[in-house]
């Protein structure tokens, strides 16, 4: 198992654009979850790009020292629970129209925001997603 710095560097070597830290990626996941809870208005491509912060955490968890995993897991679990509450499970059918879905263990790709607003909402609705309008939430 590796330190946070080593994992950041290793994942950067594997193709991530920079050597992220756990705190940075947890912060990005927290920010994304908060925006989704209010209504994500950016486009489908930004949304799919934003979901990758959770992918990084998934990859890092397989490599990190156990004490780091134990330290951060409660925070990530809380954010995951909030994400589940703010999204609808459609097995990725709507999002798959725009972005090839990764493996089934990356469950966050198989959900879409419950509040469908802005460009993302229009795109997902065109792909059959059902949600609520921002004022109905």
């Amino acid at each position: 198992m590796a330190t946070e710095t080593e994992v950041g560097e290793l994942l950067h070597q594997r193709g991530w654009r920079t050597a992220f830290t756990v705190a940075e990626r947890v912060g990005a996941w927290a920010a994304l979850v908060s925006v989704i809870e209010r209504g994500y208005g950016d486009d489908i491509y930004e949304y799919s790009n934003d979901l990758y912060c959770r992918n990084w955490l998934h990859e890092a968890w397989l490599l990190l020292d156990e004490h780091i995993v134990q330290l951060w897991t409660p925070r990530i679990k809380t954010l995951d629970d909030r994400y589940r509450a703010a999204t609808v499970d459609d097995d990725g059918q709507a999002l798959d129209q725009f972005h090839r879905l990764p493996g089934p263990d990356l469950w966050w790709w198989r959900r879409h925001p419950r509040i469908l607003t802005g460009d993302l909402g229009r795109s997902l609705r065109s792909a059959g997603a059902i949600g609520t309008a921002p004022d109905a939430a």
Side-chain angles (χ1 to χ4, degrees):
M1 292 295 165
T3 68
E4 186 175 343
T5 302
E6 292 167 342
V7 169
E9 284 298 327
L10 178 62
L11 292 177
H12 179 48
Q13 291 169 10
R14 291 183 181 176
W16 289 92
R17 68 178 162 84
T18 192
F20 293 111
T21 66
V22 173
E24 287 171 332
R25 296 295 79 193
V26 169
W29 185 228
L32 178 59
V33 169
S34 292
V35 171
I36 290 169
E37 288 170 334
R38 293 188 310 270
Y40 188 103
D42 215 336
D43 66 33
I44 189 82
Y45 305 104
E46 279 300 312
Y47 179 72
S48 56
N49 185 60
D50 288 346
L51 282 177
Y52 277 97
C53 66
R54 186 61 180 84
N55 287 40
W56 189 95
L57 291 167
H58 179 78
E59 288 184 37
W61 249 232
L62 304 173
L63 305 168
L64 283 165
D65 287 334
E66 184 63 28
H67 75 278
I68 298 170
V69 169
Q70 289 177 0
L71 177 71
W72 284 100
T73 293
R75 174 76 173 130
I76 294 169
K77 184 181 177 333
T78 298
L79 291 168
D80 287 351
D81 290 345
R82 286 175 51 198
Y83 178 79
R84 283 185 185 98
T87 58
V88 174
D89 183 351
D90 72 345
D91 199 31
Q93 292 179 20
L95 195 52
D96 191 39
Q97 303 295 312
F98 304 95
H99 189 284
R100 191 172 79 80
L101 295 182
D105 53 332
L106 305 182
W107 56 267
W108 49 95
W109 286 93
R110 288 170 165 65
R111 306 182 68 84
H112 66 75
R114 188 173 303 283
I115 298 172
L116 297 177
T117 188
D119 287 341
L120 178 66
R122 282 187 290 282
S123 295
L124 291 175
R125 273 197 189 89
S126 77
I130 298 173
T132 60
D135 49 25

